[in-house]
Amino acid sequence: MSTSSSSSKTDDAEALRRHRILSSQLYFDVPPSKVPLIYSSSYDIDFLGIEKLHPFDSSKWGRICRFLTKEGIMDQKHVVEPAESTKEDLLVVHSESYLKSLNSSLNVSMIVEVPPVAMLPNCLVQKKVLHPFRKQVGGTVLAAKLAKERGWAINVGGGFHHCSSEKGGGFCVYADISLCIHFAFVHLNISRVMIIDLDAHQGNGHEIDFSEDKRVFILDMYNPGIYPLDFEARRYIDLGVEVKSGTTTDEYLTKLDCALEVAEKKFDPDLVVYNAGTDILDGDPLGRLKISPDGIARRDEKVFRFARERNIPVIMLTSGGYMKSSAKVIADSIINLSNKSLIDMKNLSTGKA
């Protein structure tokens, strides 16, 4: 194939991507009566108990919001409900063949790591498993728009960092981080994005998707001895920090301080996408690290302070976390961010929480 025809194909693909983004309904105007906290009751996966066969707490997203409501930090009517991502939205990043593969319940069962899903009619899988994920994708995409307007946004879900354009895995079906960034490039006059991935697992999905894109800088702090062990994707990390099994809170936070200092010198972003997995918690069966709940709150505070003090819009995604205690830890961290005035949970129209 000649260089010119190859270049022409690339241009056509980019034009189609741009058209899909500009035609999407995932971006919409959010009234000032809402705070930039994004959640839908559709996020939660409740499917005859089958969801309990995976260690992930698939009702954690709703439990986070219930904790925040109970503490008086938020009112459900001020939360932003996202739109569900459509096939055309997903095609901004994913191939037709990958999306078609999700019409097989067997394929979905392997991605979400729940074997009995393979036995279910795909129409049920679409409704009970994939619909909640598509709704969370809509939340992640919208978060960037809200962050650009308000300075910050939190999607109480998303962070499916193991999924790339052509491959899902590790409970990650759609590449919401990649989609969010491509929408931001087209819609928000953003040209430089920093991903700060602090989930215990390596974010191999977005690393593969942006392997040749210098507009995206990836800081990934991860346990090198656990899933996904994707050595090819590690080559695409701009700033990798390995935190081995057993790493404790103080050591972890010291490494984070150093990493943020280095990242600031290497890259000047227009947007920070913060993947805030809580599987680094002490006792998490998959993360294998020993970070305290207070350590999680201090970690999140450091990332928000890094972005907010530099006037960089920041979005936070809740990502992984495999203990029932994760929901309360996340809620407490959001309360801490509010108490430290790093986020404002009052709606703009009344000034009330």
Side-chain angles (χ1 to χ4, degrees), residues 157-203:
F160 306 130
H161 65 157
H162 297 307
C163 188
S164 64
S165 61
E166 295 289 348
K167 187 180 180 184
F171 208 68
C172 300
V173 182
Y174 302 113
D176 65 322
I177 292 173
S178 302
L179 283 156
C180 167
I181 290 170
H182 281 293
F183 270 72
F185 283 154
V186 170
H187 264 300
L188 301 179
N189 195 30
I190 277 170
S191 58
R192 294 164 66 81
V193 177
M194 180 181 290
I195 299 172
I196 299 178
D197 195 335
L198 302 186
D199 187 276
H201 300 84
Q202 175 200 350

Side-chain angles (χ1 to χ4, degrees), residues 9-260:
K9 274 196 167 185
T10 302
D11 290 344
D12 289 347
E14 280 303 315
L16 181 56
R17 170 181 277 168
R18 183 177 176 83
H19 171 74
R20 284 181 169 132
I21 290 171
L22 294 174
S23 303
S24 173
Q25 302 299 306
L26 292 181
Y27 271 21
F28 54 85
D29 290 331
V30 174
S33 59
K34 304 279 190 182
V35 295
L37 193 79
I38 304 167
Y39 169 72
S40 166
S41 58
S42 300
Y43 281 15
D44 297 317
I45 298 172
D46 180 11
F47 196 10
L48 305 173
I50 289 174
E51 72 281 355
K52 293 183 174 65
L53 295 175
H54 191 282
F56 189 87
D57 176 11
S58 58
S59 62
K60 124 177 145 175
W61 307 293
R63 291 174 59 239
I64 293 167
C65 289
R66 286 193 289 277
F67 281 127
L68 290 173
T69 303
K70 185 180 175 184
E71 293 295 326
I73 197 80
M74 67 165 251
D75 185 324
Q76 193 63 46
K77 67 176 181 284
H78 297 144
V79 172
V80 180
E81 166 114 13
E84 178 182 356
S85 51
T86 64
K87 180 183 175 184
E88 283 298 302
D89 296 325
L90 297 170
L91 284 169
V92 166
V93 164
H94 292 293
S95 65
E96 286 267 8
S97 60
Y98 175 71
L99 295 182
K100 191 174 180 182
S101 77
L102 302 179
N103 293 331
S104 159
S105 297
L106 174 62
N107 288 338
V108 175
S109 76
M110 290 189 289
I111 293 170
V112 300
E113 301 172 338
V114 181
V117 167
M119 310 298 291
L120 300 169
N122 192 256
C123 59
L124 274 180
V125 174
Q126 293 286 334
K127 181 179 179 182
K128 293 291 191 175
V129 181
L130 298 183
H131 164 68
F133 286 138
R134 289 193 293 264
K135 195 80 166 173
Q136 292 190 45
V137 169
T140 299
V141 170
L142 179 62
K145 178 180 186 290
L146 272 172
K148 184 76 187 289
E149 294 167 354
R150 312 273 190 96
W152 66 275
I154 296 172
N155 183 19
V156 184
F160 306 130
H161 65 157
H162 297 307
C163 188
S164 64
S165 61
E166 295 289 348
K167 187 180 180 184
F171 208 68
C172 300
V173 182
Y174 302 113
D176 65 322
I177 292 173
S178 302
L179 283 156
C180 167
I181 290 170
H182 281 293
F183 270 72
F185 283 154
V186 170
H187 264 300
L188 301 179
N189 195 30
I190 277 170
S191 58
R192 294 164 66 81
V193 177
M194 180 181 290
I195 299 172
I196 299 178
D197 195 335
L198 302 186
D199 187 276
H201 300 84
Q202 175 200 350
N204 57 324
H206 57 71
E207 287 157 10
I208 289 167
D209 281 347
F210 295 111
S211 60
E212 297 178 2
D213 195 330
K214 296 303 178 191
R215 298 174 297 176
V216 179
F217 181 95
I218 298 171
L219 188 174
D220 196 347
M221 262 179 87
Y222 63 95
N223 185 339
I226 60 174
Y227 179 91
L229 302 172
D230 191 332
F231 296 98
E232 181 198 350
R234 287 182 193 180
R235 294 165 40 211
Y236 309 129
I237 300 172
D238 297 286
L239 180 55
V241 181
E242 296 188 352
V243 280
K244 294 179 179 174
S245 296
T247 297
T248 55
T249 301
D250 288 345
E251 182 187 353
Y252 181 93
L253 293 176
T254 298
K255 285 192 170 188
L256 176 59
D257 283 336
C258 293
L260 291 173

Side-chain angles (χ1 to χ4, degrees), residues 296-307:
I296 297 270
R298 286 157 63 197
R299 175 198 71 169
D300 295 348
E301 183 181 331
K302 286 175 186 293
V303 175
F304 267 77
R305 202 172 292 285
F306 171 84

